Amino acid sequence: MGDQVVVTDDGAVRIIRMNRPEKKNALTQPMYAAMTQALREADASAAIRCVVIAGVPGAFCAGADIAEFLESAKSGGLRPITLEFLKTLARNQKPIVAAVGGLAVGIGTTMLFHCDHVVASTDATFATPFSKLALIPEAASSLLAPLRMGYARAFAMLVMARPLSAAEAKEAGIVNTVVDAAAVDDTALKAAREIAALPAGAIAVARRLLRGNLDDVVRRIDTETMHFKDRLQSDEAQAAFTAFLTRKK
Ligand code: COA
C-alpha cells in the first residue's frame, strides 16, 4: 500500500496519519482498512489513551477517492470497508484529536463530527460538496451537523455545499483552535497528551455521556448509506464523477 496511512505511537497517544499527498489524501479502500484497524487497536489497548488523526501539509483529506466512487457505483454501492470505517469511528471509545492542516473535504470534514478536539490551520478549508457530486451527506453528518452547528449552518454546508474557512468552522463549533499551518501537528499532539494525562476511567465515561446515543448515530449511518447507494448509482452522480476525473487543469 506504500504507507498511505502511517500509524505511530507516541507514549499514550496513537497518531494515525493519512499519507497520500499526491492525491491530497483522497481516501482509498486500503486507507479505510488501515485506519479502521488502527482505531480498533487503539480502542483495545490500555496503553493508548488518545488518538490523533492527521494529514500531510496542505491536505488533511480531500474526501473519498472519486475514482473508487465510480467503481463502487458499478459494484452496487459503498464498499463494506467504508461502512466499517464509519461505524468504527462512530463507536470508537478513545478520545480523538484531529490535526487539520489545509483541505478537509467530504469525509475529511464529516469525520470531524466524531472527533473530540479539532486543531486547524489558519488556511484550512472545510468543504462538503456532496450535492455538487449528486450525493448526500454521510458519516451521520445529517444527524450530527445540525446538532453541532444549528440547522441553518448545517444546511448551508451540507446541502448548499458552501465551504467554511477555519475561522468560520471555529465559530460554528467544529474547530477548537486555529494556529499557523506549521504548528498544527504539535498543537494537536499537545492537546492529545493533555487528554491522555487525565484519569482514563473518568474520561471514558464523560466522553460517552457527551457523545449521546451511539446507536442512533450508527442507525443514521445505515440510513444515509442506503440513500447514498442510490445516489451513487444515479446518472447525475456518474456524470459528476466523470467530469471531475476528466477535468482539464
Ligand atoms: N478523489 C480522487 N482524486 C482526487 C480527489 C478525490 N477526492 N481529490 C483530489 N484528487 C486528485 C486530483 O485528481 C489530482 O490528481 P492528478 O494530479 O492525478 O490529476 C490530485 O489529487 C491533486 O488534486 P488537485 O485537484 O490538482 O489539487 P487542488 O489543490 O487544485 O484541489 C481539491 C484540491 C481537493 C479542491 C480538488 O482536488 C477537489 O475538488 N477534489 C475532489 C474533492 C471531492 O469532491 N471529494 C469527495 C467529496 S464527497
mmCIF file of all heavy atoms in Angstrom, residues 197-233:
data_model
loop_
_atom_site.group_PDB
_atom_site.id
_atom_site.type_symbol
_atom_site.label_atom_id
_atom_site.label_comp_id
_atom_site.label_asym_id
_atom_site.label_seq_id
_atom_site.Cartn_x
_atom_site.Cartn_y
_atom_site.Cartn_z
ATOM 1 N N ALA A 197 -3.237 12.492 29.801
ATOM 2 C CA ALA A 197 -2.739 12.593 31.175
ATOM 3 C C ALA A 197 -3.873 12.607 32.201
ATOM 4 O O ALA A 197 -3.629 12.474 33.402
ATOM 5 C CB ALA A 197 -1.898 13.861 31.316
ATOM 6 N N LEU A 198 -5.090 12.753 31.739
ATOM 7 C CA LEU A 198 -6.233 12.788 32.664
ATOM 8 C C LEU A 198 -6.638 11.360 33.042
ATOM 9 O O LEU A 198 -6.322 10.410 32.322
ATOM 10 C CB LEU A 198 -7.405 13.527 31.996
ATOM 11 C CG LEU A 198 -7.153 15.027 31.740
ATOM 12 C CD1 LEU A 198 -8.190 15.589 30.770
ATOM 13 C CD2 LEU A 198 -7.168 15.805 33.043
ATOM 14 N N PRO A 199 -7.363 11.191 34.151
ATOM 15 C CA PRO A 199 -7.747 9.831 34.567
ATOM 16 C C PRO A 199 -8.614 9.143 33.499
ATOM 17 O O PRO A 199 -9.695 9.638 33.153
ATOM 18 C CB PRO A 199 -8.548 10.084 35.851
ATOM 19 C CG PRO A 199 -8.083 11.420 36.335
ATOM 20 C CD PRO A 199 -7.773 12.225 35.105
ATOM 21 N N ALA A 200 -8.120 8.017 32.974
ATOM 22 C CA ALA A 200 -8.728 7.390 31.798
ATOM 23 C C ALA A 200 -10.174 6.943 32.032
ATOM 24 O O ALA A 200 -11.024 7.064 31.140
ATOM 25 C CB ALA A 200 -7.871 6.207 31.353
ATOM 26 N N GLY A 201 -10.444 6.427 33.240
ATOM 27 C CA GLY A 201 -11.804 5.923 33.519
ATOM 28 C C GLY A 201 -12.827 7.045 33.451
ATOM 29 O O GLY A 201 -13.887 6.911 32.820
ATOM 30 N N ALA A 202 -12.502 8.157 34.095
ATOM 31 C CA ALA A 202 -13.432 9.295 34.109
ATOM 32 C C ALA A 202 -13.610 9.867 32.705
ATOM 33 O O ALA A 202 -14.724 10.222 32.294
ATOM 34 C CB ALA A 202 -12.911 10.375 35.052
ATOM 35 N N ILE A 203 -12.508 9.950 31.967
ATOM 36 C CA ILE A 203 -12.574 10.488 30.596
ATOM 37 C C ILE A 203 -13.506 9.629 29.737
ATOM 38 O O ILE A 203 -14.328 10.130 28.974
ATOM 39 C CB ILE A 203 -11.157 10.517 29.960
ATOM 40 C CG1 ILE A 203 -10.275 11.501 30.703
ATOM 41 C CG2 ILE A 203 -11.208 10.869 28.484
ATOM 42 C CD1 ILE A 203 -10.780 12.907 30.706
ATOM 43 N N ALA A 204 -13.366 8.301 29.902
ATOM 44 C CA ALA A 204 -14.174 7.391 29.074
ATOM 45 C C ALA A 204 -15.668 7.583 29.344
ATOM 46 O O ALA A 204 -16.473 7.658 28.413
ATOM 47 C CB ALA A 204 -13.759 5.949 29.337
ATOM 48 N N VAL A 205 -16.019 7.692 30.628
ATOM 49 C CA VAL A 205 -17.444 7.841 30.968
ATOM 50 C C VAL A 205 -17.954 9.214 30.530
ATOM 51 O O VAL A 205 -19.026 9.331 29.910
ATOM 52 C CB VAL A 205 -17.687 7.646 32.488
ATOM 53 C CG1 VAL A 205 -19.152 7.872 32.824
ATOM 54 C CG2 VAL A 205 -17.247 6.247 32.920
ATOM 55 N N ALA A 206 -17.170 10.259 30.809
ATOM 56 C CA ALA A 206 -17.598 11.618 30.444
ATOM 57 C C ALA A 206 -17.793 11.728 28.929
ATOM 58 O O ALA A 206 -18.776 12.292 28.446
ATOM 59 C CB ALA A 206 -16.560 12.636 30.922
ATOM 60 N N ARG A 207 -16.870 11.147 28.196
ATOM 61 C CA ARG A 207 -16.953 11.207 26.734
ATOM 62 C C ARG A 207 -18.215 10.502 26.237
ATOM 63 O O ARG A 207 -18.927 10.998 25.375
ATOM 64 C CB ARG A 207 -15.702 10.554 26.135
ATOM 65 C CG ARG A 207 -15.676 10.591 24.629
ATOM 66 C CD ARG A 207 -14.399 9.978 24.080
ATOM 67 N NE ARG A 207 -14.353 10.186 22.642
ATOM 68 C CZ ARG A 207 -14.904 9.382 21.759
ATOM 69 N NH1 ARG A 207 -15.544 8.287 22.159
ATOM 70 N NH2 ARG A 207 -14.831 9.645 20.469
ATOM 71 N N ARG A 208 -18.465 9.336 26.821
ATOM 72 C CA ARG A 208 -19.660 8.555 26.422
ATOM 73 C C ARG A 208 -20.932 9.381 26.670
ATOM 74 O O ARG A 208 -21.846 9.404 25.852
ATOM 75 C CB ARG A 208 -19.710 7.256 27.224
ATOM 76 C CG ARG A 208 -19.972 6.081 26.347
ATOM 77 C CD ARG A 208 -19.724 4.710 26.902
ATOM 78 N NE ARG A 208 -19.687 4.496 28.322
ATOM 79 C CZ ARG A 208 -18.642 4.019 28.982
ATOM 80 N NH1 ARG A 208 -17.516 3.763 28.332
ATOM 81 N NH2 ARG A 208 -18.683 3.819 30.267
ATOM 82 N N LEU A 209 -20.960 10.053 27.795
ATOM 83 C CA LEU A 209 -22.147 10.865 28.127
ATOM 84 C C LEU A 209 -22.296 12.023 27.133
ATOM 85 O O LEU A 209 -23.392 12.304 26.651
ATOM 86 C CB LEU A 209 -22.035 11.412 29.557
ATOM 87 C CG LEU A 209 -22.191 10.368 30.673
ATOM 88 C CD1 LEU A 209 -21.759 10.955 32.013
ATOM 89 C CD2 LEU A 209 -23.627 9.872 30.745
ATOM 90 N N LEU A 210 -21.196 12.680 26.853
ATOM 91 C CA LEU A 210 -21.259 13.821 25.929
ATOM 92 C C LEU A 210 -21.641 13.412 24.513
ATOM 93 O O LEU A 210 -22.318 14.153 23.803
ATOM 94 C CB LEU A 210 -19.897 14.537 25.872
ATOM 95 C CG LEU A 210 -19.760 15.803 26.718
ATOM 96 C CD1 LEU A 210 -19.701 15.469 28.207
ATOM 97 C CD2 LEU A 210 -18.518 16.584 26.324
ATOM 98 N N ARG A 211 -21.213 12.225 24.102
ATOM 99 C CA ARG A 211 -21.449 11.826 22.710
ATOM 100 C C ARG A 211 -22.873 11.341 22.480
ATOM 101 O O ARG A 211 -23.299 11.191 21.345
ATOM 102 C CB ARG A 211 -20.444 10.760 22.264
ATOM 103 C CG ARG A 211 -19.010 11.274 22.251
ATOM 104 C CD ARG A 211 -18.170 10.682 21.153
ATOM 105 N NE ARG A 211 -18.526 11.224 19.866
ATOM 106 C CZ ARG A 211 -17.993 12.332 19.333
ATOM 107 N NH1 ARG A 211 -17.067 12.989 19.943
ATOM 108 N NH2 ARG A 211 -18.388 12.761 18.156
ATOM 109 N N GLY A 212 -23.611 11.091 23.542
ATOM 110 C CA GLY A 212 -25.019 10.717 23.378
ATOM 111 C C GLY A 212 -25.182 9.276 22.918
ATOM 112 O O GLY A 212 -24.295 8.446 23.108
ATOM 113 N N ASN A 213 -26.317 9.022 22.284
ATOM 114 C CA ASN A 213 -26.676 7.650 21.936
ATOM 115 C C ASN A 213 -25.996 7.196 20.628
ATOM 116 O O ASN A 213 -26.387 7.601 19.534
ATOM 117 C CB ASN A 213 -28.207 7.566 21.786
ATOM 118 C CG ASN A 213 -28.660 6.133 21.645
ATOM 119 O OD1 ASN A 213 -27.892 5.273 21.199
ATOM 120 N ND2 ASN A 213 -29.896 5.867 22.027
ATOM 121 N N LEU A 214 -24.995 6.350 20.782
ATOM 122 C CA LEU A 214 -24.237 5.920 19.603
ATOM 123 C C LEU A 214 -25.062 5.025 18.687
ATOM 124 O O LEU A 214 -24.805 4.949 17.481
ATOM 125 C CB LEU A 214 -22.953 5.201 20.032
ATOM 126 C CG LEU A 214 -21.926 6.060 20.770
ATOM 127 C CD1 LEU A 214 -20.651 5.272 21.021
ATOM 128 C CD2 LEU A 214 -21.609 7.337 20.009
ATOM 129 N N ASP A 215 -26.064 4.339 19.262
ATOM 130 C CA ASP A 215 -26.927 3.510 18.403
ATOM 131 C C ASP A 215 -27.662 4.384 17.390
ATOM 132 O O ASP A 215 -27.831 4.007 16.230
ATOM 133 C CB ASP A 215 -27.945 2.721 19.241
ATOM 134 C CG ASP A 215 -27.260 1.644 20.081
ATOM 135 O OD1 ASP A 215 -26.139 1.244 19.700
ATOM 136 O OD2 ASP A 215 -27.828 1.236 21.102
ATOM 137 N N ASP A 216 -28.103 5.561 17.840
ATOM 138 C CA ASP A 216 -28.771 6.496 16.917
ATOM 139 C C ASP A 216 -27.804 6.915 15.801
ATOM 140 O O ASP A 216 -28.190 7.037 14.647
ATOM 141 C CB ASP A 216 -29.209 7.780 17.656
ATOM 142 C CG ASP A 216 -30.425 7.542 18.531
ATOM 143 O OD1 ASP A 216 -31.048 6.470 18.398
ATOM 144 O OD2 ASP A 216 -30.740 8.430 19.359
ATOM 145 N N VAL A 217 -26.567 7.154 16.210
ATOM 146 C CA VAL A 217 -25.565 7.601 15.240
ATOM 147 C C VAL A 217 -25.320 6.504 14.198
ATOM 148 O O VAL A 217 -25.307 6.754 12.987
ATOM 149 C CB VAL A 217 -24.248 7.985 15.965
ATOM 150 C CG1 VAL A 217 -23.162 8.351 14.963
ATOM 151 C CG2 VAL A 217 -24.486 9.136 16.941
ATOM 152 N N VAL A 218 -25.170 5.275 14.683
ATOM 153 C CA VAL A 218 -24.898 4.162 13.759
ATOM 154 C C VAL A 218 -26.121 3.888 12.863
ATOM 155 O O VAL A 218 -25.978 3.624 11.666
ATOM 156 C CB VAL A 218 -24.461 2.901 14.548
ATOM 157 C CG1 VAL A 218 -24.405 1.681 13.643
ATOM 158 C CG2 VAL A 218 -23.093 3.141 15.185
ATOM 159 N N ARG A 219 -27.297 4.007 13.452
ATOM 160 C CA ARG A 219 -28.521 3.839 12.636
ATOM 161 C C ARG A 219 -28.577 4.886 11.522
ATOM 162 O O ARG A 219 -28.955 4.593 10.400
ATOM 163 C CB ARG A 219 -29.771 3.952 13.523
ATOM 164 C CG ARG A 219 -30.436 2.595 13.793
ATOM 165 C CD ARG A 219 -31.854 2.758 14.325
ATOM 166 N NE ARG A 219 -31.911 3.552 15.537
ATOM 167 C CZ ARG A 219 -31.676 3.074 16.763
ATOM 168 N NH1 ARG A 219 -31.387 1.800 16.926
ATOM 169 N NH2 ARG A 219 -31.721 3.863 17.816
ATOM 170 N N ARG A 220 -28.180 6.117 11.863
ATOM 171 C CA ARG A 220 -28.203 7.164 10.840
ATOM 172 C C ARG A 220 -27.180 6.855 9.736
ATOM 173 O O ARG A 220 -27.439 7.098 8.555
ATOM 174 C CB ARG A 220 -27.922 8.541 11.467
ATOM 175 C CG ARG A 220 -27.950 9.688 10.462
ATOM 176 C CD ARG A 220 -29.299 9.803 9.739
ATOM 177 N NE ARG A 220 -30.356 10.160 10.643
ATOM 178 C CZ ARG A 220 -30.851 11.396 10.797
ATOM 179 N NH1 ARG A 220 -30.398 12.364 10.039
ATOM 180 N NH2 ARG A 220 -31.813 11.622 11.663
ATOM 181 N N ILE A 221 -26.047 6.305 10.135
ATOM 182 C CA ILE A 221 -25.051 5.923 9.116
ATOM 183 C C ILE A 221 -25.672 4.901 8.158
ATOM 184 O O ILE A 221 -25.520 4.984 6.937
ATOM 185 C CB ILE A 221 -23.766 5.365 9.780
ATOM 186 C CG1 ILE A 221 -23.003 6.497 10.468
ATOM 187 C CG2 ILE A 221 -22.872 4.652 8.757
ATOM 188 C CD1 ILE A 221 -21.811 6.049 11.302
ATOM 189 N N ASP A 222 -26.415 3.939 8.708
ATOM 190 C CA ASP A 222 -27.065 2.926 7.851
ATOM 191 C C ASP A 222 -28.092 3.561 6.915
ATOM 192 O O ASP A 222 -28.173 3.214 5.738
ATOM 193 C CB ASP A 222 -27.746 1.857 8.717
ATOM 194 C CG ASP A 222 -26.741 0.844 9.254
ATOM 195 O OD1 ASP A 222 -25.728 0.610 8.575
ATOM 196 O OD2 ASP A 222 -26.966 0.301 10.352
ATOM 197 N N THR A 223 -28.880 4.476 7.469
ATOM 198 C CA THR A 223 -29.914 5.123 6.633
ATOM 199 C C THR A 223 -29.264 5.950 5.528
ATOM 200 O O THR A 223 -29.659 5.882 4.357
ATOM 201 C CB THR A 223 -30.806 6.043 7.508
ATOM 202 O OG1 THR A 223 -31.312 5.277 8.594
ATOM 203 C CG2 THR A 223 -31.966 6.609 6.706
ATOM 204 N N GLU A 224 -28.249 6.728 5.901
ATOM 205 C CA GLU A 224 -27.555 7.526 4.883
ATOM 206 C C GLU A 224 -26.945 6.612 3.807
ATOM 207 O O GLU A 224 -27.005 6.936 2.617
ATOM 208 C CB GLU A 224 -26.422 8.330 5.533
ATOM 209 C CG GLU A 224 -26.885 9.483 6.411
ATOM 210 C CD GLU A 224 -25.740 10.096 7.235
ATOM 211 O OE1 GLU A 224 -24.653 9.486 7.307
ATOM 212 O OE2 GLU A 224 -25.934 11.168 7.813
ATOM 213 N N THR A 225 -26.398 5.489 4.257
ATOM 214 C CA THR A 225 -25.733 4.580 3.318
ATOM 215 C C THR A 225 -26.716 4.032 2.288
ATOM 216 O O THR A 225 -26.376 3.875 1.104
ATOM 217 C CB THR A 225 -25.066 3.419 4.090
ATOM 218 O OG1 THR A 225 -24.142 3.983 5.007
ATOM 219 C CG2 THR A 225 -24.334 2.470 3.164
ATOM 220 N N MET A 226 -27.925 3.752 2.755
ATOM 221 C CA MET A 226 -28.967 3.249 1.855
ATOM 222 C C MET A 226 -29.246 4.279 0.747
ATOM 223 O O MET A 226 -29.273 3.953 -0.435
ATOM 224 C CB MET A 226 -30.224 3.016 2.691
ATOM 225 C CG MET A 226 -31.344 2.305 2.016
ATOM 226 S SD MET A 226 -32.685 2.181 3.237
ATOM 227 C CE MET A 226 -33.284 3.868 3.289
ATOM 228 N N HIS A 227 -29.411 5.537 1.153
ATOM 229 C CA HIS A 227 -29.669 6.589 0.161
ATOM 230 C C HIS A 227 -28.422 6.878 -0.686
ATOM 231 O O HIS A 227 -28.517 7.148 -1.876
ATOM 232 C CB HIS A 227 -30.127 7.882 0.861
ATOM 233 C CG HIS A 227 -31.472 7.747 1.526
ATOM 234 N ND1 HIS A 227 -32.622 7.547 0.810
ATOM 235 C CD2 HIS A 227 -31.837 7.771 2.823
ATOM 236 C CE1 HIS A 227 -33.644 7.446 1.647
ATOM 237 N NE2 HIS A 227 -33.196 7.583 2.878
ATOM 238 N N PHE A 228 -27.280 6.828 -0.009
ATOM 239 C CA PHE A 228 -26.009 7.108 -0.694
ATOM 240 C C PHE A 228 -25.829 6.140 -1.868
ATOM 241 O O PHE A 228 -25.417 6.528 -2.969
ATOM 242 C CB PHE A 228 -24.852 6.956 0.302
ATOM 243 C CG PHE A 228 -23.612 7.720 -0.066
ATOM 244 C CD1 PHE A 228 -23.398 9.001 0.422
ATOM 245 C CD2 PHE A 228 -22.649 7.170 -0.889
ATOM 246 C CE1 PHE A 228 -22.255 9.713 0.096
ATOM 247 C CE2 PHE A 228 -21.507 7.864 -1.232
ATOM 248 C CZ PHE A 228 -21.311 9.142 -0.728
ATOM 249 N N LYS A 229 -26.177 4.877 -1.616
ATOM 250 C CA LYS A 229 -26.047 3.849 -2.649
ATOM 251 C C LYS A 229 -26.872 4.214 -3.887
ATOM 252 O O LYS A 229 -26.381 4.162 -5.014
ATOM 253 C CB LYS A 229 -26.530 2.514 -2.066
ATOM 254 C CG LYS A 229 -26.514 1.375 -3.038
ATOM 255 C CD LYS A 229 -27.051 0.115 -2.383
ATOM 256 C CE LYS A 229 -27.356 -0.912 -3.453
ATOM 257 N NZ LYS A 229 -28.108 -2.048 -2.917
ATOM 258 N N ASP A 230 -28.110 4.632 -3.676
ATOM 259 C CA ASP A 230 -28.965 5.033 -4.810
ATOM 260 C C ASP A 230 -28.375 6.222 -5.549
ATOM 261 O O ASP A 230 -28.336 6.257 -6.773
ATOM 262 C CB ASP A 230 -30.363 5.447 -4.304
ATOM 263 C CG ASP A 230 -31.175 4.238 -3.906
ATOM 264 O OD1 ASP A 230 -30.753 3.110 -4.252
ATOM 265 O OD2 ASP A 230 -32.214 4.418 -3.246
ATOM 266 N N ARG A 231 -27.950 7.217 -4.763
ATOM 267 C CA ARG A 231 -27.399 8.433 -5.368
ATOM 268 C C ARG A 231 -26.133 8.117 -6.156
ATOM 269 O O ARG A 231 -25.912 8.626 -7.241
ATOM 270 C CB ARG A 231 -27.091 9.488 -4.289
ATOM 271 C CG ARG A 231 -28.260 10.043 -3.513
ATOM 272 C CD ARG A 231 -29.240 10.780 -4.382
ATOM 273 N NE ARG A 231 -30.311 9.917 -4.844
ATOM 274 C CZ ARG A 231 -30.835 9.937 -6.056
ATOM 275 N NH1 ARG A 231 -30.393 10.745 -6.969
ATOM 276 N NH2 ARG A 231 -31.808 9.132 -6.390
ATOM 277 N N LEU A 232 -25.290 7.269 -5.570
ATOM 278 C CA LEU A 232 -24.016 6.878 -6.186
ATOM 279 C C LEU A 232 -24.247 6.293 -7.580
ATOM 280 O O LEU A 232 -23.472 6.515 -8.504
ATOM 281 C CB LEU A 232 -23.372 5.830 -5.275
ATOM 282 C CG LEU A 232 -21.879 5.559 -5.294
ATOM 283 C CD1 LEU A 232 -21.099 6.833 -5.071
ATOM 284 C CD2 LEU A 232 -21.536 4.549 -4.199
ATOM 285 N N GLN A 233 -25.343 5.549 -7.702
ATOM 286 C CA GLN A 233 -25.607 4.861 -8.967
ATOM 287 C C GLN A 233 -26.411 5.721 -9.950
ATOM 288 O O GLN A 233 -26.671 5.280 -11.061
ATOM 289 C CB GLN A 233 -26.354 3.552 -8.680
ATOM 290 C CG GLN A 233 -25.453 2.545 -7.981
ATOM 291 C CD GLN A 233 -26.197 1.300 -7.539
ATOM 292 O OE1 GLN A 233 -27.219 1.390 -6.872
ATOM 293 N NE2 GLN A 233 -25.683 0.154 -7.916
#
